[in-house]
Each structure stands twice: as structure tokens, then as C-alpha cells.
Amino acid sequence: MRTFNQLVAMACLACIGLSGCTQKSEEYYVKHVEFPEGTTLEQKVDMAARLVPTPQQLEWQKLELTAFLHFGVNTFTGREWGDGKEDPALFNPTELDAEQWVKNLKEAGFKMVILTAKHHDGFCLWPTKTTKHSVASSPWKDGKGDVVKELRDACTKYDMKFGVYLSPWDRNAECYGDSPRYNQYFIDQLTELLSNYGEVHEVWFDGANGEGPNGKKQVYDWDAFYKTIQKLQPKATMAIMGDDVRWVGNERGLGRETEWSATVLTPGIYARSEANNNALEISSTSQDLGGREILAKANELFWYPSEVDVSIRPGWFYHAEEDGKVKSLKHLTDIYFQSVGYNSVLLLNIPPDRRGLIHENDIARLKEFAAYRQKMLATDYVEEGDELWNAGSGEDREYTLATDAKFNVVMLQEDISKGQRVESFKVEALKDGQWTLLGEGTTVGYKRMLRFPEVNAEKLKVTILSSRRNANICKVAAYYAEPVKEVADRSEWNDISRSDWKVVSSQPLAIDLGQSVTLAAFTYAPLNETAKPTMAFRYKFFVSENGKQWKEVPTNGEFSNIMHNPLPQTVAFKTPVKARYIKLDATTPSSEKAVVEMNEIGVSLVKK
């Protein structure tokens, strides 16, 4: 752990705070605190109130909007997860322009860009000395290109923070599975990225740990990875498989209404993580990660804030067939309110296309999204709402509103440099002498937004129903957000009515389509876009004219990332196939027989 984890006595953390206001001296725990044996619940609650972020974590939280750029050899194969066998010659963007990426993201309000410098396929976007599976072996710029450098330079030009994603899972590296050798290989790659491109503000690891070329399981040396970052980029935040930032638990843009940054979840990078989290029966997806009930069972607490990651498209990498499936403005605004508005940072993926540009459809939506937020935040109807309020449990404060104020959003913020303390609150509006309840909430943290039907009012009243010690409310605001209508989803992934279909076998799933057709693709769409243990992951797809003789259709055989992003995945065939019967023989992520229902399958016909 860092030295920040020690108990530090400080009179005030105003120098890194949100308001600059001071208060009575308190002892604070930075990033981590252990509960001595015999500590009562009330004592734990008091200590939890005094757990605070490091300066890096605080600055990270203020970013609010960060961008992911999934780009690589998958962009040219149409896959989400490559298998490491791709020919580097496939990587050949014709108009790559990192400045186009950064300029548009900057104008859309993003503060940092994170690039997939290496994804699971092992293809490196910089000319690494560790492998030939990189841009140096591609025809792009005659093998002399460096995507990482071009993005770093663009970030410097536009004053944008810069981060790198480096996949620990490598399906190309021959040494993957030979744990000592691969760990050194990975450290060498990490060292290159953290030594040759100036300041790196965030290092993003996921925990993917699948098979390598030799089929062996790799044991990652997280401690060595962590020390490498500390040595080379000590100011960088370490996300997901790190102890600075945690994954919210899904890839759909959904944060928790009750989101504690002071959490009992032990970061996965620590050796004790699995034992601690199993003892508490929690994981990244658990709904309560910091409330009193779970706090009572915990032995330690971490400042470990939530990041909500989601793609602007169904997939994480660019696919031309998704050009018409960019998330709607309403979908993006809902994500914004359920991420930034739920005490999290939003990491939105915008994947460059095969040209090496952010697609026009994505840019148009980003501009629309930015204009919407700017218009909403342009007028704050609360007067003197940025005056620090040191609020105890049960206390309320009234705020005068601007004349003829019409609003449907209330925002609260705590000065988290002094801890996260609010456990519950309510907001009321005064209209014609009557107080009306607008909404209630639990945690506030860095930022909490409540939405409700629009109201005209003269005053606003905020009541802190419950707080750990006195809460430090540094901002109360009221805004009007234009209602946005949802655009009907025109995406189609099945061309034949299922009314004539018949299931001829449930294990594996075989279907009589009721007619002989020519197929261009099939789609697997998990029911309700929800992951389940029995869902399909690896598969073989067969067709038949008579239901007796079956022919396998060549595919990549994997619904990549389906367990984290359970959206429809369409598999296009290299050549059209004739069929009356189709069969999907699939296994789950844990290699058991998958259970697939008929209405989770669709087929696409060859267009005339």
C-alpha cells in the first residue's frame, strides 16, 4: 500500500477541496483504514466518515467525463476479442488522425482519453521491442507508425489528460501461461508505455485471464505491475485492477443509486482481496458496498470510487453494421444522470473506424450530448448554493430560488476531501406557501443529481436525514433539463417471423425455420440483455436442408465479452449458406452446456 494509507492528522484538506472552506480540525485516514479488533459499529461509522481520497483520486473524480478509444486489429477483423492469430498486415487505417479524435472529444466536454494500447489479441499500437505483433509489422506508415505517440501528441496540443489500457490477457504472446516469463514480458511493455510518452494520467487494467497460445493459465504478478507504475508514473491513477478506481460492475452505463466511495470492497490487486470479499459475500456487482449493515462485518475500508464504463455503440470496437446503432441522446443522458449523477465518473467508449477517424454518426451524437448538458447547466436557479453547509443529521437549509424558477433537476455535492458522509437526504420545494417533496436519496458523495417532473417554486429545502458526523455540503443547485423523447429502436436482427419456427432439439438448440432460405448471418441476443450463468460463450453453428445431415458454418466460434456486455451479437458468414434448419451448439463461460432459447436467436437473409 502507499504511504497515503497511513493515518494522517490534518487540520484541513482545503487545498485539495472543492470549496476552499475550512472547518474544525479532524483526523483523517487517506485512502485506507483498518478497524482494530473490537471496534463498534458506531466507531466504524465515525472512522468511515474520516476516510478521504488521495489528491490523485480527487482530481480523477473531478474529471466526470472520460473517453475510451477501443482501436486495434479488431477494428479490421470485425471482432470484439481477437484470438492473437491475426496478420498485422490487416492493420492499415487510411486516414488516421488522432487530433480529430481529441479535438472532438474536447469539444464534447471530455477531460481524458484512454487508448487500448494492447487488447486481448496482443497486437500493440506502438512499435514495441517485446513482440513483432505490433504496428511495426503493419503496412500503416510502412511500419514506422506509433498510434500511442500520435494520441499523446494530440492530447498535449489540446490540453487533454492521457491514459493507456494494456490488457494483461495476451492471446498472441508465446510466453503467456509461463507466469514468470510473461509477467516480465508484460512489465517490459508497461515500462515502454510509461517511459516514452510523457505523463500518463491513468493506467487501466481489466482482470481478463483467459487461455494463451499454450492453453495454460497465467498467474499475474499484480504487485510487480503496481510497483512499476509507482516507479515510472507515481501520479497516475490505477483503474479497475488497481486500488484507485473500481469497476461499477456492468458495461451498460448503470451506476448505483447508493454509491459509496468509502467501500468495504478490497481491490483485486491485493492478495487478500478474494478472501476478504468472499468473507463479506460481496463483489463488484453487489448493491451495498459501504452501508452500515456491511460496514458492521468489515475489518477495513478503502476509498475506492466507482467508474461507469459503457460504449456509445453496442460493441466496443468499431463495426460498420453498427453505424445506425449509436446510442440515442436520451440513452446517453440517462447514462449521464446514472453515472456522473450517481457519484461516479463516466468512461464512454467512442471507437475509431477503419479510416482511423471517429465516425460522423458518433461525432454528431457527441455534439448533441454536449449541447444538451451545456444548456442544462447554463442556468442554476439556486442563489448562494455554493456556500459551505456543515450539516448534522436532521438539519435542513432553505435556499432562495431565482424569480420564476422552473426546474426538474437538483444537484447536491459534498466536499469529499473531508470524506463522504451523507447517508440519506430529501429535497422539497416551496410553492404557494406549501412544501412539496421533490425526491429523496441516500448517498451524495462528489455529485448526486435528482430528477423529477418540472416544478415552479420560490424556495428549495434540503434536509440531511442521516449523516456520518457532520456532512460538508459544498454545492446545492437546481437546473432545467429539456425532456428528451426516446427514438424508436429500428435495429433488426431477425428477418423471418418466428411464428413458423419449431424447436426440434433444445440441447443443443436446433430450429426448423419452416422454409428454405439463404442466410447471410445469425444473431445471438441474450434474453432481456441480461447475463446468466447458462448463456452461450463458445459455439459452433450448423445448417441443414433436411434436419438430418448437418454442415458446420465457419465462424470465429466465440461471443466475445458477452458475459459483461450481453447485447445482440451478429455473426456474418463469409459466404451465404442455404438452410431450412439451424443448430447452435454452445458452451457457457465456465465450459458447461449452454441453454439458449429460440427467441434469443435471429437470422439475416441475403439482401436482393
Side-chain angles (χ1 to χ4, degrees):
M1 292 192 185
R2 300 179 183 179
T3 56
F4 281 124
N5 296 351
Q6 301 169 352
L7 171 60
V8 180
M10 293 178 286
C12 182
L13 290 180
C15 60
I16 59 168
L18 301 171
S19 63
C21 301
T22 61
Q23 66 173 47
K24 185 178 178 181
S25 297
E26 292 181 318
E27 288 185 326
Y28 293 89
Y29 304 89
V30 181
K31 197 175 184 181
H32 174 247
V33 61
E34 293 183 31
F35 300 129
E37 187 174 348
T39 305
T40 67
L41 175 58
E42 287 307 312
Q43 288 172 329
K44 289 181 179 181
V45 169
D46 181 79
M47 295 170 76
R50 293 180 283 122
L51 182 65
V52 299
T54 66
Q56 291 96 326
Q57 288 177 310
L58 183 58
E59 289 305 311
W60 173 86
Q61 190 83 53
K62 291 179 183 179
L63 296 176
E64 297 193 5
L65 293 173
T66 56
F68 226 164
L69 296 175
H70 273 64
F71 185 59
V73 73
N74 289 345
T75 308
F76 299 88
T77 63
R79 299 185 66 176
E80 283 288 289
W81 286 358
D83 58 16
K85 299 175 183 177
E86 297 84 3
D87 184 345
L90 291 170
F91 184 84
N92 193 20
T94 55
E95 304 174 51
L96 192 145
D97 185 353
E99 288 194 17
Q100 187 252 12
W101 307 347
V102 178
K103 182 176 183 292
N104 280 284
L105 293 170
K106 178 86 171 183
E107 291 174 351
F110 291 81
K111 305 294 179 57
M112 179 161 66
V113 182
I114 299 174
L115 174 70
T116 55
K118 182 189 79 169
H119 206 257
H120 308 327
D121 50 75
F123 184 80
C124 299
L125 293 182
W126 77 102
T128 175
K129 295 178 181 178
T130 63
T131 178
K132 293 182 179 179
H133 200 56
S134 79
V135 290
S137 300
S138 79
W140 177 61
K141 293 194 171 182
D142 296 323
K144 297 177 182 179
D146 187 337
V147 182
V148 177
K149 183 179 186 303
E150 294 200 17
L151 177 59
R152 171 70 267 188
D153 291 346
C155 286
T156 300
K157 179 176 179 177
Y158 289 97
D159 191 26
M160 183 82 85
K161 291 186 182 296
F162 169 73
V164 293
Y165 163 109
L166 188 67
S167 173
W169 184 22
D170 193 316
R171 304 177 82 171
N172 175 269
E174 170 272 329
C175 58
Y176 188 91
D178 182 343
S179 294
R181 284 181 61 212
Y182 179 75
N183 286 329
Q184 185 57 54
Y185 175 91
F186 187 80
I187 289 171
D188 290 344
Q189 292 187 333
L190 188 59
T191 299
E192 290 179 349
L193 288 173
L194 302 186
S195 301
N196 300 326
Y197 299 96
E199 184 172 6
V200 176
H201 298 92
E202 182 166 327
V203 180
W204 208 100
F205 296 146
D206 59 27
N209 191 348
E211 79 290 343
N214 56 17
K216 294 182 180 179
K217 183 178 177 63
Q218 173 72 27
V219 179
Y220 300 134
D221 189 348
W222 291 115
D223 189 53
F225 303 164
Y226 179 83
K227 288 177 179 176
T228 302
I229 298 170
Q230 281 284 282
K231 176 183 177 182
L232 300 174
Q233 295 285 344
K235 294 182 180 180
T237 53
M238 189 168 171
I240 314 308
M241 288 305 293
D243 65 350
D244 289 318
V245 176
R246 65 181 160 85
W247 180 47
V248 73
N250 65 77
E251 295 181 356
R252 301 176 67 186
L254 302 176
R256 298 172 182 78
E257 289 191 55
T258 301
E259 188 61 79
W260 286 103
S261 296
T263 170
V264 300
L265 187 74
T266 302
I269 198 171
Y270 297 152
R272 64 186 185 280
S273 170
E274 185 174 359
N276 282 8
N277 295 332
N278 286 345
L280 294 174
E281 299 181 321
I282 58 170
S283 69
S284 297
T285 61
S286 299
Q287 286 304 303
D288 181 11
L289 291 175
R292 292 186 178 231
E293 184 177 346
I294 195 71
L295 200 59
K297 306 173 185 177
N299 296 320
E300 55 185 327
L301 197 66
F302 303 85
W303 189 273
Y304 198 28
S306 160
E307 178 184 74
V308 175
D309 61 326
V310 65
S311 183
I312 199 169
R313 292 162 169 254
W316 286 88
F317 284 89
Y318 174 83
H319 309 292
E321 62 270 23
E322 294 179 355
D323 285 348
K325 298 179 181 180
V326 176
K327 286 181 171 53
S328 67
L329 175 61
K330 184 176 189 308
H331 197 168
L332 286 180
T333 55
D334 285 344
I335 286 171
Y336 173 79
F337 282 111
Q338 293 178 88
S339 55
V340 176
Y342 277 1
N343 186 39
S344 297
V345 168
L346 173 59
L347 176 60
L348 182 65
N349 179 64
I350 305 98
D353 62 21
R354 293 185 180 186
R355 297 171 299 175
L357 301 174
I358 293 179
H359 192 273
E360 292 80 358
N361 293 4
D362 304 61
I363 290 175
R365 185 69 76 242
L366 288 175
K367 289 181 176 179
E368 191 179 19
F369 182 38
Y372 181 88
R373 300 191 321 275
Q374 289 165 1
K375 184 177 181 180
M376 177 185 73
L377 299 173
T379 304
D380 175 7
Y381 294 101
V382 175
E383 297 181 358
E384 299 181 350
D386 56 358
E387 181 180 307
L388 182 67
W389 173 28
N390 190 247
S393 294
E395 294 183 5
D396 62 63
R397 175 173 281 194
E398 296 180 13
Y399 294 87
T400 301
L401 297 171
T403 305
D404 298 324
K406 180 181 76 170
F407 58 98
N408 54 10
V409 175
V410 165
M411 182 189 77
L412 305 180
Q413 286 188 275
E414 288 184 73
D415 180 353
I416 59 171
S417 71
K418 301 179 179 71
Q420 183 184 3
R421 302 185 174 189
V422 176
E423 294 180 309
S424 61
F425 67 94
K426 67 177 180 179
V427 178
E428 299 168 278
L430 182 66
K431 177 69 174 177
D432 299 327
Q434 297 291 323
W435 286 104
T436 301
L437 180 67
L438 298 180
E440 296 179 282
T442 51
T443 49
V444 173
Y446 173 76
K447 181 170 286 188
R448 178 63 188 271
M449 291 178 167
L450 282 179
R451 291 189 288 177
F452 41 83
E454 68 179 58
V455 61
N456 291 88
E458 299 123 27
K459 286 190 175 183
L460 193 72
K461 181 163 68 176
V462 177
T463 303
I464 304 302
L465 299 173
S466 178
S467 176
R468 301 171 175 181
R469 286 185 159 232
N470 283 3
N472 298 287
I473 306 299
C474 63
K475 180 74 173 178
V476 175
Y479 305 109
Y480 180 71
E482 289 280 355
V484 184
K485 293 183 179 180
E486 183 61 276
V487 178
D489 183 6
R490 297 186 179 90
S491 61
E492 299 176 359
W493 49 271
N494 182 43
D495 291 343
I496 304 178
S497 171
R498 292 189 182 87
S499 59
D500 295 328
W501 291 17
K502 293 180 181 178
V503 174
V504 295
S505 169
S506 59
Q507 190 58 264
L509 178 67
I511 300 169
D512 178 358
L513 300 176
Q515 57 183 303
S516 183
V517 293
T518 303
L519 302 179
F522 84 96
T523 298
Y524 172 53
L527 198 62
N528 300 320
E529 297 183 355
T530 301
K532 55 185 179 180
T534 56
M535 71 193 307
F537 174 46
R538 289 192 171 88
Y539 69 90
K540 292 183 178 180
F541 187 81
F542 301 86
V543 295
S544 174
E545 287 284 356
N546 56 17
K548 296 178 181 179
Q549 284 81 38
W550 293 91
K551 175 184 177 182
E552 183 178 354
V553 182
T555 64
N556 65 48
E558 180 179 279
F559 298 119
S560 302
N561 201 35
I562 195 78
M563 62 288 290
H564 297 311
N565 196 32
L567 299 177
Q569 288 200 16
T570 298
V571 179
F573 305 140
K574 291 183 179 180
T575 57
V577 295
K578 290 186 177 181
R580 170 165 177 156
Y581 298 83
I582 60 173
K583 179 167 64 176
L584 183 69
D585 190 359
T587 56
T588 69
S590 59
S591 300
E592 304 293 328
K593 283 289 184 181
V595 177
V596 181
E597 299 181 30
M598 183 175 74
N599 58 359
E600 294 180 303
I601 296 295
V603 294
S604 300
L605 302 181
V606 172
K607 306 302 181 184
K608 296 182 180 180

